Amino acid sequence: MGSRSVRFALALAMVAGSVSGARADAIDRRIDALMRRMTLDEKIGQVTLASIAEVFDYDKVASGAYGNVMNFGTAKEFAKVLAAWRKSRLKIPLLHGTDIIYGNRTLFVPPIGQASSFDLGLNRAAAEQAALESVAAGTNWTYAPMVDLNRDPRWGRVVEGAGEDVQLAACMAGARVAGFRAGGLVVSAKHFVAYGFGEGGRDYDAVEMGEPFLRDRVLPPFRAAIAAGAESVMSSFNAFNGVPATANPHLLKDILRRDMRFRGIVTSDWGAIDQLKNHGLSPDPLDLTVATFNAGVDLDMASDFFRKYLPIALAQGRVSKARLDEAVRRVLRVKFETDLGKRMRVDVEEAKATQATLDPRGRAIAIEMGRRTTLLLHDPKERLPLADVSRIAVVGGLADSPRDHMGPHPALSQMGDIVTLRAAITERAAKAGARVDYLEACGACRFPTDTDETVIAEAAKAAAAADVIVAVVGETYEESGEAAARADLALSAPQVKLVEALAATGRPVVVVLTGGRPMLVENILDKVDAIAMVWFPGTYGAIGAAEVLFGDVSPSARLPLTWPRSTGQLPLSYDRLPTGRPASADDKWTNKYIDVAWTPRFPFGYGLSYGRTTLAAPRLDKAKAKPGDTVTVSVAVTNSGTRAVRETVQVYVHDVIASRSRPSRELKGFAQVDLAPGETRDVAVPIRVATLGFHVEDGSYVVEPGMFRIFVGKDATTETAVELEVTGGSRVAPWDAPIPCVDPKTTKSAKRR
C-alpha cells in the first residue's frame, strides 16, 4: 500500500447528494408537471415497494401500481420487470433494491471485519466495487450500510455493523456511503433507530433509552451517512421507548426530519407495517397504514399495505392528500437526482458475460482486505509468523467450507469462486517449500450434538506428525447475521475438545477463528500458541489472511468492539460511564463481578503485530482552546522491530469535570502510519474541540469549559495522556451539533431541497 503517514477521518471527502440550484429547480418543475399527470393509483405506486415472488404480478408494474421493486438480483430476473415497466404510461424509473451488504459477485470480509482495518479508504473501495458489480445486474439501490451501534455481540447482526464506537462507526458509515454512491447505488442507511440495543442481544427486541444517550451514541453514524449523501433511511423493527420505530413520529419527524435535517426517503423494513399488529397497536391493517404513513414512513417495503389501504385512508380523511404528495415527491426527487431513468435498461447477455468472470480489481481489494482485517489476538511465544516449518496440519471443517467463508449474506457470489483457508494456506506453504495436510476432523462440530471423540483423537494423532498445527474453528454462516442471536458466545463443545486434543499432542497450535463476532476463548487461551481472527473471509480474503500467517504482511487489524471473557459480562463497551464505586480488587463493595474479572479479555482498539512499535509522549499544538478551534495531537511512533508494520494511533478524550457523568474514554480520532524497521515518524491527529461535548435532555448540544485529558495509544486502555484546557463554552441546537468524521469547513451541506 506504500507509506502514508496519516489517514484520519477528516480526510474523508464526504460530499452530500445535494444538486446545484439550477438543476434542483429543473427537477422541481419536472416533478410538478409529473404530479399533475399522475392518477391516485400511480402516486400510491410510488410509495409501494414490491418484492420478487414465485407468483409476481408484472401487470402491476405496467399499470404503475408497483412503482419500486426489490430482490430481482440477476439481470435475467430484472429484465422481466423492465419489460413490464416499458408498458407503463408515465415510465417513471423504478427503484430496484437489494441487500448489498459486503459484496455482490465478489464478497469481501463483512462490515465488522472491515471496521477492524480502521482503513477508511479500503472500506470505501470495497463498497464502490460491490456497487459496480450490482449495477451491472440492474440493482440501483442497496439497503446498506447498517450503521447501528452495538455493545452486545450476542446480537447476530453485529456482523453487519462497525462495532461499538461512535467515532469509528460514523467514519465507516461515511466511507461506505461514499463508496456505494460512487459505484452508482442509491443508499439506505439502517436501521432507524437503536436496533442494535435490543434487550438481551435478541433480534427485533424492544429498546428503552434516554435521549441524551440516543443523540450522543446512536444518531451520529446516521448523521455521518446522511452527510455523505445517503438518499434513504430505513426504519427499524424494534419498539423505542414503547413506540414501534416504524410508527414513531418522534423518531421520524422530530428527530430525523427536524433535528437531523434529512430530506430523503424513509422506507419501512421488510413487512414491518404488517408486523405492527404484533406490537399490539391494532389488528386492523387500515389503522396500521394510517399510523405508519402519518408517522413519516414514505415507502412500504413488502407489506403491500399502502397500496391496499391508503385509498381508503384518503377517502376517510385519515391521511391527507398533502402528506401523500409529500412522500411521492421525495421518492421522485431521489429518482431524478440520481438519474435512474438513464439506467432503466439491462443487457442480459452482457451482464451474464460480466458476471462470468470476477473483476480483477475486486480480487485485489478483497485480498488487501484479508491482509488488513486479519486480527492477531494472542501470540505470547511469538509462534507467528509461520516460518522454518516443513509440514503443517490444517485441521477443522471450517477451513475448507466455501459456504461458511461467505458469511450470512452471499448475494450473487458463487461457492466455486471461494478460495478457502485450506487452499490459501496450502498455496502459500508451497511457496515456502512446506507441505500441508488437511484433516476435516470435526465437520460435525458445526452443529454440535454429540462429540465424536474417536474422530477427534484420530485427527490429533495424524496432526502430531506436523511441525505446526493450524486449527480453524468458529462460527458457521448460519450462526451469524439476522435472527442469529446467541445466548452463549462460547466455542462449541466439540470444537473445544478438538483444540484440546490438538494441544495435547505437544505440537505448536495456532487457532484461526472464523465468524462474525467475538467468541469466548477462555478455555483454550492457555493451551494454544496463538489465536488469530479472520472473520468470514469471503471470496479471496483467505489469501490475504494466509499472507499474514506466513509473515508477508504484519497484522494491523484492531478490535472494533470489546472482546469479553464471559457472555455474562454483556453488554460491554470501553466507553461506559463511571460509577460512584469503581471496581477494585481490594474492596468487595465495588462495581465488579464475584466470579469473573470485570475487565474484558481484549479491549477495544487492541491488536498485535509482528513488529515492535513504541509511542512517545503526546504533544498538543496548543494548551488552551475554544469550542470553535481544532487542536492537533502529535506523537512520534517508532518501529524498533525487524519487520515493516502499520500502526494505528488512537486518540481518546475524557472530560475530567462536567455537569453530568462522562465516559472515562471516548475515541475522537485515529491515524495509521506505515513504518519500515527502525523508522520513526511523527503522526498528527486533528481534534475539533466542538466534538468534545454532549447532548442534554432538550436535544441541545453543549461543550463545557474545563480540563480534558487526551489519551494517545494503541487501544482504549492507554494511560499516556496530555491535558487540554477548554476556555469558554457553547450550546447549540441539535441540527448544529458536530458530526464525527465530517469537517464543516471542507464538507458541502447535506441539506436537500
Side-chain angles (χ1 to χ4, degrees):
M1 290 291 288
S3 177
R4 41 179 202 188
S5 60
V6 175
R7 179 164 289 183
F8 179 60
L10 296 183
L12 266 182
M14 289 189 178
V15 179
S18 56
V19 297
S20 67
R23 183 163 182 255
D25 290 341
I27 288 173
D28 282 343
R29 290 193 295 272
R30 183 180 178 188
I31 292 173
D32 289 341
L34 189 57
M35 294 284 286
R36 288 192 290 270
R37 298 178 60 198
M38 294 174 74
T39 66
L40 176 62
D41 286 347
E42 287 169 332
K43 287 183 177 180
I44 293 175
Q46 290 304 302
V47 297
T48 297
L49 177 58
S51 180
I52 190 173
E54 288 186 18
V55 181
F56 183 83
D57 191 346
Y58 291 92
D59 289 340
K60 286 188 170 60
V61 176
S63 70
Y66 287 166
N68 309 283
V69 296
M70 63 185 295
N71 293 336
F72 291 82
T74 67
K76 183 177 181 180
E77 291 170 333
F78 189 54
K80 297 178 184 178
V81 176
L82 287 178
W85 171 79
R86 292 189 187 100
K87 300 175 185 177
S88 64
R89 185 173 73 94
L90 299 175
K91 294 184 175 54
I92 301 171
L94 303 168
L95 280 168
H96 173 213
T98 310
D99 277 316
I100 307 300
I101 308 299
Y102 50 93
N104 192 14
R105 182 71 165 80
T106 306
L107 279 186
F108 303 100
V109 172
I112 189 64
Q114 292 186 31
S116 73
S117 72
F118 277 66
D119 189 328
L120 306 183
L122 187 58
N123 276 257
R124 186 190 187 282
E128 181 177 359
Q129 180 64 28
L132 291 169
E133 294 181 358
S134 305
V135 168
T139 295
N140 57 35
W141 184 22
T142 179
Y143 308 126
M146 190 193 86
V147 299
D148 298 306
L149 221 62
N150 174 262
R151 278 90 184 283
D152 193 339
R154 289 178 295 179
W155 189 47
R157 298 193 79 166
V158 68
V159 69
E160 295 181 52
E164 70 187 44
D165 178 70
V166 179
Q167 179 80 17
L168 181 61
C171 293
M172 291 297 170
R176 299 192 73 220
V177 169
F180 283 135
R181 296 182 77 241
L185 288 177
V186 175
V187 174
S188 186
K190 64 184 185 185
H191 307 83
F192 201 82
V193 67
Y195 187 33
F197 287 82
E199 292 184 3
R202 293 181 295 270
D203 225 333
Y204 321 117
D205 219 320
V207 175
E208 294 287 329
M209 181 181 291
E211 289 228 1
F213 185 91
L214 170 72
R215 293 177 186 270
D216 280 345
R217 293 284 178 269
V218 180
L219 296 184
F222 284 95
R223 297 184 68 213
I226 293 167
E231 296 91 351
S232 61
V233 167
M234 183 186 294
S235 62
S236 55
F237 284 120
N238 57 282
F240 180 85
N241 292 346
V243 182
T246 307
N248 194 318
H250 177 56
L251 292 180
L252 302 181
K253 289 184 174 181
D254 298 343
I255 294 180
L256 183 60
R257 295 291 184 194
R258 182 194 68 198
D259 293 350
M260 296 174 63
R261 298 298 203 246
F262 180 60
R263 299 294 179 263
I265 302 167
V266 174
T267 180
S268 71
D269 205 337
W270 176 278
I273 301 175
D274 181 24
Q275 294 161 25
L276 288 173
K277 64 178 181 288
N278 298 327
H279 285 274
L281 292 195
S282 173
D284 186 344
L286 176 59
D287 291 342
L288 302 181
T289 298
V290 170
T292 305
F293 199 61
N294 285 340
V297 172
D298 301 309
L299 195 56
D300 171 11
M301 180 190 290
S303 285
D304 210 24
F305 275 22
F306 284 5
R307 186 183 68 83
K308 293 178 180 177
Y309 301 109
L310 272 181
I312 302 171
L314 287 159
Q316 293 179 356
R318 299 178 67 185
V319 168
S320 70
K321 179 179 179 296
R323 167 67 185 118
L324 175 61
D325 286 353
E326 174 188 64
V328 174
R329 283 178 176 276
R330 286 176 182 149
V331 174
L332 293 177
R333 183 165 289 107
V334 167
K335 292 180 177 183
F336 296 156
E337 285 184 352
T338 54
D339 291 323
L340 292 193
K342 296 179 180 179
R343 289 189 266 157
M344 292 305 293
R345 63 186 188 281
V346 64
D347 186 320
V348 175
E349 291 305 315
E350 180 182 342
K352 186 177 179 181
T354 301
Q355 292 288 317
T357 332
L358 283 159
D359 188 336
R361 179 175 180 269
R363 176 187 171 91
I365 295 169
I367 293 173
E368 179 67 6
M369 191 71 79
R371 296 177 185 128
R372 295 306 171 193
T373 61
T374 297
L375 182 63
L376 183 57
L377 295 169
H378 179 67
D379 191 19
K381 300 177 182 178
E382 298 187 359
R383 183 64 65 183
L384 289 175
L386 299 173
D388 301 323
V389 293
S390 59
R391 189 171 180 181
I392 302 169
V394 174
V395 186
L398 290 179
D400 200 38
S401 173
R403 181 62 189 89
D404 290 309
H405 281 54
M406 297 159 81
H409 289 282
L412 293 182
S413 60
Q414 299 175 19
M415 282 197 287
D417 295 326
I418 302 297
V419 177
T420 65
L421 284 163
R422 173 195 179 183
I425 293 171
T426 300
E427 182 175 349
R428 180 57 187 81
K431 293 179 181 178
R435 163 187 166 182
V436 169
D437 300 315
Y438 170 66
L439 303 162
E440 183 183 40
C442 199
C445 293
R446 297 174 54 189
F447 297 102
T449 49
D450 298 318
T451 302
D452 190 336
E453 297 194 14
T454 301
V455 172
I456 289 175
E458 290 174 352
K461 183 179 180 180
D467 299 315
V468 64
I469 300 169
V470 177
V472 182
V473 294
E475 291 187 313
T476 69
Y477 76 93
E478 293 173 298
E479 294 173 306
S480 187
E482 185 172 356
R486 293 180 59 178
D488 187 355
L489 298 184
L491 295 171
S492 70
Q495 288 180 336
V496 173
K497 287 185 178 296
L498 174 63
V499 173
E500 289 176 337
L502 295 173
T505 64
R507 311 309 296 166
V509 176
V510 174
V511 169
V512 172
L513 296 171
T514 69
R517 62 179 135 205
M519 289 157 275
L520 304 185
V521 295
E522 298 305 292
N523 48 9
I524 65 169
L525 192 68
D526 295 333
K527 299 180 177 67
V528 301
D529 294 81
I531 300 176
M533 180 78 182
V534 300
W535 312 99
F536 290 114
T539 308
Y540 296 121
I543 297 174
E547 291 179 3
V548 172
L549 293 176
F550 280 88
D552 302 331
V553 181
S554 181
S556 60
R558 301 294 181 258
L559 275 174
L561 71 180
T562 303
W563 195 291
R565 298 172 185 269
S566 165
T567 307
Q569 290 178 296
L570 302 175
L572 181 66
S573 67
Y574 82 92
D575 60 352
R576 57 195 180 276
L577 295 177
T579 79
R581 294 188 176 188
S584 170
D586 300 324
D587 187 350
K588 175 181 178 180
W589 311 104
T590 56
N591 179 240
K592 62 181 184 297
Y593 299 99
I594 63 171
D595 56 346
V596 67
W598 66 83
T599 56
R601 169 48 60 193
F602 306 116
F604 175 87
Y606 170 85
L608 299 176
S609 153
Y610 296 152
R612 294 281 185 276
T613 58
T614 55
L615 277 63
R619 312 180 307 276
L620 296 180
D621 65 339
K622 54 179 71 101
K624 295 182 179 181
K626 300 184 295 297
D629 293 340
T630 295
V631 175
T632 299
V633 185
S634 299
V635 62
V637 185
T638 300
N639 177 8
S640 57
T642 59
R643 295 175 179 272
V645 297
R646 175 174 298 174
E647 187 58 79
T648 300
V649 176
Q650 301 163 41
V651 178
Y652 299 86
V653 176
H654 172 53
D655 188 348
V656 180
I657 301 294
S659 60
R660 60 172 58 213
S661 185
R662 304 300 301 140
S664 60
R665 297 281 195 287
E666 290 181 286
L667 184 70
K668 291 298 180 182
F670 55 90
Q672 295 187 314
V673 57
D674 291 318
L675 297 167
E679 185 177 13
T680 297
R681 288 196 177 188
D682 220 35
V683 176
V685 181
I687 304 294
R688 285 179 291 148
V689 178
T691 65
L692 305 185
F694 52 85
H695 289 85
V696 294
E697 279 74 11
D698 68 358
S700 299
Y701 180 82
V702 178
V703 178
E704 295 182 338
M707 298 302 298
F708 289 79
R709 193 161 291 127
I710 299 178
F711 298 89
V712 181
K714 300 181 184 181
D715 61 51
T717 65
T718 180
E719 293 292 340
T720 305
V722 63
E723 292 196 340
L724 170 71
E725 182 181 356
V726 174
T727 59
S730 66
R731 185 185 184 106
V732 299
W735 46 85
D736 289 327
I739 305 171
C741 253
V742 178
D743 186 344
K745 296 179 181 178
T746 59
T747 306
K748 295 181 180 180
S749 170
K751 294 180 181 178
R752 291 176 173 78
R753 293 171 57 87

